[in-house]
Structures are given as C-alpha cells and as structure tokens.
Amino acid sequence: MHTNVNTLFEKLWESYLAVTPSAVTVHDLFDKTQGQEVVNDHIALRTFNLPGIGLSALAAHFEAVGYKACGEYHFVSKKLYAKHFEHTENPDLPKVFISELLLEQCSESLQETVRSLVANMDKDTVTQDNFLYSGRHWDIDYSTYQRLLQESEFAAWVAAWGYRANHFTVSNNHLSQFDSIEQINQAVKAAGLSLNTAGGEIKGSADVMLEQSSTLADKHPVAFTDGERDIPSCFYEFAKRYPKPDGSLFTGFVAESADKIFESTNAR
Ligand code: OOG
Ligand code: NI
C-alpha cells in the first residue's frame, strides 16, 4: 500500500493516460484556458465482489492514505454496489467512487468465466503498492470478452482492463472561466470529442445538488490471446456541485446519474 496519497494519484493518472489519449485533449482544454492545474472532483474504480478482490480490498488502499467511506449506492438492474470515499483531512483531494459487480446475481456461466479469470491472479498482488493501477492479471480471448459483454458491460470492461481508474473528473467548481456543465460540454464537443448522451448530456440538476456529464470512452487496443482489438477504455467526467441547505457543498453522488455515467464505457 502507498503511504503517500499524491504518489498514488500520480500513478493512477499515468495508467489512465496510457489507455485514454483523449484525456490529454480534455486536460489541455481546461489547463490552457485556466492557466492553472485542473482540480479533480473524483476518480472511479471497478471490481468483482469476489473474496479478496472486492470493493473493500480496493478501498483498503485509500483507507491507508486517510480516506473513509461516506456513502453507498445500489444499482439494481446493473447488479452493482458502490461506495464513495472522502479524505478525512484534506477536502481538496479527489473523492473516490468504487463499485463491484454482484456476481451471485449473474448467470452461472458469467460467474464461472469470471472465477476462472480471477483464479489466475496471485492474491498477494492485491495488497501491493501498484495494485490499483496494475491492469489485468489474466489472459482472455476476444470471444470470452464478447460473451461477457452480452450480459454485463461492467463485467466485460473489468475482464479486459483489470485494475485502473476508469475516469478522472474535472471539478467545474474550481474552473474560473466555465460557469456551467453546459459551457464545458460545448468546449469539449468543439474540441472534437463525443459526450455520453445516456440520460441526456447533463445528468442531475441543482435540485439533487450535482450536475455531471462525461465523454464516451476512447477506443483503445487491448491484447486478447487471439489478437489485439480496439475496445472502449476510459473516459473523462465533468461535475458541478451545489450547496446543501447548511451552505457547504454536497459531497455525495446521485445514484440515478451514476447509473448513466457507467454507460460511458459501453461498446457501441
Ligand atoms: C462509475 C460511475 C459513477 C459518478 O460520478 O456518478 C460515477 C463508473 O463508471 O465506474 O462515476
Ligand atoms: Ni464519476
């Protein structure tokens, strides 16, 4: 486990950039117009709820550098469970959203496939420093990926990409030259990128204290045992937070919006 939170995020960023070339375009868009560092609202990671590699195993890496669990979320039709984490001392550090696929709710065949992939993984790797950005620990062929895709886009994504951040999120609240998600969306589209339109370009509203949008994941080559293929990798998100009745900014997530953000990595 890392002891330095900044090193952990730097490494997560590097492994994300390696498969998400459009992230450079997005990052430049806001860094150049702002002349300052982009502040990340949050990042997200995914896993399966198998012993030793579930949500809590990933969370332990963040807990080791000062994070604590703050909210939980259920996605019934996607068969996912998630929690979000905040840093106990530094509210400017990115929040972390971790989700796991509830395998016991999936078909026997999906369960068997996932168990056999994960069986190839050395369980000690889970506690190593680099685990959260270590990618895939098993071989997979393209037809297995496609079979998973038919039942669960989430399962197929984790099976193909393994452990890495699936998105970083620009905090609109920290951008001085963009007042709204709408304005950000215009700039992102003008830069030639496509937005995830599931549930509309903007998910949420001031009423739920959170507005979000995201790009569609890049298509990036993955090595399958039977050859390399381009499949959806990772994406960029934009979030604007609104104050709670007590005046402090809302720090949670909105399940109905998150449900649509997951679809940023859907095959299409
Ligand atoms: C996480 C989707 C949810 C949000 O901001 O609501 C999310 C994922 O795609 O793994 O990031
Ligand atoms: Ni997100």
Side-chain angles (χ1 to χ4, degrees):
M1 312 249 175
H2 279 275
T3 50
N4 184 310
V5 68
N6 296 313
T7 314
L8 174 58
F9 280 107
E10 275 162 30
K11 296 287 187 182
L12 283 160
W13 173 251
E14 281 168 23
S15 82
Y16 163 79
L17 268 193
V19 299
T20 321
S22 74
V24 178
T25 309
V26 172
H27 203 257
D28 283 357
L29 199 60
F30 298 105
D31 254 3
K32 288 206 176 114
T33 53
Q34 299 297 307
Q36 64 187 37
E37 275 283 295
V38 168
V39 173
N40 287 303
D41 179 87
H42 69 272
I43 66 160
L45 297 104
R46 301 173 175 178
T47 191
F48 302 112
N49 75 335
L50 287 173
I53 61 160
L55 195 168
S56 60
L58 275 59
H61 287 263
F62 291 101
E63 287 161 351
V65 290
Y67 276 79
K68 68 164 192 308
C70 290
E72 60 167 6
Y73 311 89
H74 299 272
F75 304 92
V76 175
S77 66
K78 288 186 170 66
K79 301 171 172 130
L80 302 174
Y81 173 69
K83 278 186 180 177
H84 97 265
F85 299 80
E86 297 177 25
H87 198 268
T88 47
E89 279 150 31
N90 184 355
D92 287 337
L93 281 167
K95 287 169 262 300
V96 176
F97 186 96
I98 308 178
S99 52
E100 62 183 9
L101 180 65
L102 305 171
L103 279 179
E104 68 281 4
Q105 296 180 17
C106 300
S107 71
E108 286 295 334
S109 117
L110 184 143
Q111 293 188 37
E112 217 168 275
T113 303
V114 169
R115 279 178 211 282
S116 73
L117 293 175
V118 168
N120 294 313
M121 193 170 146
D122 176 358
K123 292 297 182 290
D124 291 344
T125 58
V126 177
T127 51
Q128 282 168 7
D129 278 8
N130 71 348
F131 176 62
L132 297 180
Y133 46 92
S134 60
R136 207 173 76 192
H137 295 264
W138 46 79
D139 289 332
I140 178 169
D141 60 31
Y142 188 58
S143 64
T144 303
Y145 169 76
Q146 284 180 305
R147 226 179 331 106
L148 289 173
L149 206 52
Q150 282 171 16
E151 182 172 340
S152 165
E153 300 262 3
F154 184 103
W157 189 92
V158 179
W161 294 109
Y163 296 95
R164 56 177 65 252
N166 68 66
H167 65 278
F168 276 70
T169 309
V170 175
S171 166
N172 189 358
N173 300 72
H174 291 82
L175 296 177
S176 51
Q177 294 178 39
F178 292 83
D179 288 335
S180 65
I181 294 293
E182 172 62 28
Q183 258 186 34
I184 290 177
N185 286 352
Q186 293 312 324
V188 169
K189 288 193 283 187
L193 301 176
S194 302
L195 293 174
N196 169 7
T197 57
E201 282 185 357
I202 299 178
K203 295 121 182 69
S205 64
D207 287 348
V208 295
M209 298 175 287
L210 180 60
E211 281 177 342
Q212 295 162 276
S213 70
S214 60
T215 63
L216 281 175
D218 286 357
K219 289 280 184 84
H220 199 78
V222 157
F224 291 102
T225 47
D226 46 353
E228 209 174 74
R229 308 272 181 149
D230 284 354
I231 64 162
S233 56
C234 305
F235 60 94
Y236 227 126
E237 187 188 312
F238 313 96
K240 178 172 181 171
R241 294 187 179 274
Y242 290 86
K244 297 186 287 191
D246 72 4
S248 67
L249 282 186
F250 175 66
T251 57
F253 289 79
V254 176
E256 198 185 326
S257 304
D259 188 76
K260 301 294 182 282
I261 298 280
F262 277 114
E263 297 178 17
S264 307
T265 54
N266 277 12
R268 59 208 168 264

